[in-house]
Amino acid sequence: MHERLLADAWHVPRIPLGDWFARIVDWLNNNVGPLFDAVQTIITGAVDGLTTALQWPPAWAMALVFALLAWWLRSWKFGAVTLVGFALADGLGVFDEAMLTLAQVLVSGVIATLIAVPLGIFAARSTAASRVIRPVLDFMQTLPAFVYLIPAIFFFSIGAVPGVVATVIFSLPPGVRLTELGIRQVDKEMVEAGESFGAPPRKILTGVQIPLAMPSIMAGVNQIIMLSLSMVVIAGMTGGPGLGAKVFEAVQRLQLGAGFEYGVGVVILAIYLDRITSSFTGQRTRRLPSSSRVTPAPTAFITGD
């Protein structure tokens, strides 16, 4: 008995962290309900509208559009591969689900980018803000993705919206980190040159720091898109339509063939989106001959010449 009491004395009293979190969620649901309703309406409208636009043309027409975009941004070889890839998706009967998934990924990616880039700029320009934001990003990156679905389903019920919300939260950290890294790595001499010409801080940010940090920012956007796509299957568990839901359904029913076909659709989308978004990182540099690549003068960024 004495040994039992001594052992219990070494245990830390239970911390009701889960109960506190549940109370916060209940308070938000009871007091911020109209805001969540507005968010749900906006996201639903965006996903439905984009899905309709992607599914309205015939599959061959959309495949041709994707191929032409790939040809313009990358090369004719990737354009040909894109045409074959989406033709394969149509032949497997997963093209419509791929367009549903693409709509959700694009909406999630745009929302996450609109949040991540300003937050990364704010963290780069404020050391105190960076010290607060970094631990939060660490927590967000290490928390299992399934955990995001619990409050998302509680606030937005079943459907595409909780999947989009969970995807946005899950994909934010790399966008914030790479934006902050890009801004901080801008040559201080360029910033000082801009200040010597009398440019205000906002003009230095938009005319010098953001243009020079654009490769890093676009790398963050690429990571946002790819992480959004990686959440497809998990988001399918919330009832969201698309390839994720079909893969999850195949897993539940042990349908090996169907699961493989829908998985191929995810791979085709992943390769296409990765190559397209990564092309924006160094597109301007690749189009210039090596002899014509010069470092722009600070006055060109500041004055717009």
Side-chain angles (χ1 to χ4, degrees):
M1 185 64 180
H2 177 71
E3 294 179 354
R4 177 57 181 245
L5 292 176
L6 184 61
D8 292 341
W10 285 99
H11 286 288
V12 177
R14 184 183 181 277
I15 302 174
L17 182 61
D19 297 336
W20 296 341
F21 179 74
R23 292 176 184 176
I24 293 174
V25 171
D26 289 336
W27 184 89
L28 290 174
N29 191 46
N30 294 329
N31 295 274
V32 200
L35 176 61
F36 293 138
D37 293 338
V39 171
Q40 184 170 10
T41 301
I42 293 173
I43 294 177
T44 301
V47 172
D48 291 346
L50 190 55
T51 300
T52 302
L54 292 172
Q55 291 184 337
W56 177 73
W60 63 266
M62 286 305 305
L64 185 60
V65 169
F66 292 143
L68 291 175
L69 182 62
W71 185 7
W72 179 51
L73 293 176
R74 298 286 299 192
S75 65
W76 68 269
K77 295 180 181 180
F78 183 61
V81 171
T82 297
L83 187 61
V84 172
F86 282 101
L88 175 62
D90 188 30
L92 294 175
V94 302
F95 190 86
D96 288 339
E97 284 76 13
M99 295 301 100
L100 281 166
T101 300
L102 180 59
Q104 295 175 64
V105 170
L106 291 178
V107 171
S108 303
V110 169
I111 295 174
T113 301
L114 292 176
I115 298 173
V117 172
L119 197 59
I121 293 173
F122 179 59
R125 294 173 66 87
S126 173
T127 303
S130 179
R131 290 175 179 173
V132 174
I133 291 174
R134 286 184 181 181
V136 176
L137 296 179
D138 293 337
F139 178 78
M140 292 171 63
Q141 283 189 300
T142 55
L143 194 67
F146 287 96
V147 178
Y148 295 124
L149 294 177
I150 300 174
I153 294 174
F154 188 83
F155 290 135
F156 303 104
S157 186
I158 300 297
V161 178
V164 170
V165 172
T167 300
V168 168
I169 299 174
F170 179 72
S171 61
L172 270 176
V176 178
R177 290 184 184 279
L178 287 173
T179 299
E180 179 184 0
L181 180 64
I183 297 293
R184 289 186 179 274
Q185 286 185 338
V186 172
D187 192 349
K188 293 182 179 180
E189 293 182 358
M190 298 290 289
V191 177
E192 293 173 355
E195 293 174 346
S196 67
F197 280 98
R202 180 176 298 180
K203 189 64 178 179
I204 292 176
L205 174 64
T206 58
V208 178
Q209 291 177 311
I210 291 180
L212 294 178
M214 191 56 67
S216 181
I217 294 175
M218 291 309 302
V221 174
N222 173 265
Q223 291 300 305
I224 287 175
I225 295 295
M226 299 312 296
L227 285 177
S228 298
L229 191 57
S230 71
M231 282 284 289
V232 163
V233 177
I234 297 177
M237 298 174 61
T238 67
L243 294 172
K246 293 297 184 179
V247 171
F248 182 63
E249 180 181 347
V251 170
Q252 286 184 313
R253 298 181 180 181
L254 298 179
Q255 297 174 336
L256 180 62
F260 180 76
E261 291 178 351
Y262 289 116
V264 169
V266 175
V267 171
I268 292 172
L269 271 184
I271 295 175
Y272 181 74
L273 291 175
D274 177 57
R275 298 299 186 272
I276 291 296
T277 53
S278 62
S279 67
F280 290 101
T281 302
Q283 182 182 15
R284 182 180 299 179
T285 302
R286 288 197 307 270
R287 288 186 176 181
L288 291 175
S290 57
S291 59
S292 64
R293 295 176 191 169
V294 295
T295 302
T299 53
F301 287 117
I302 297 169
T303 63
D305 297 335

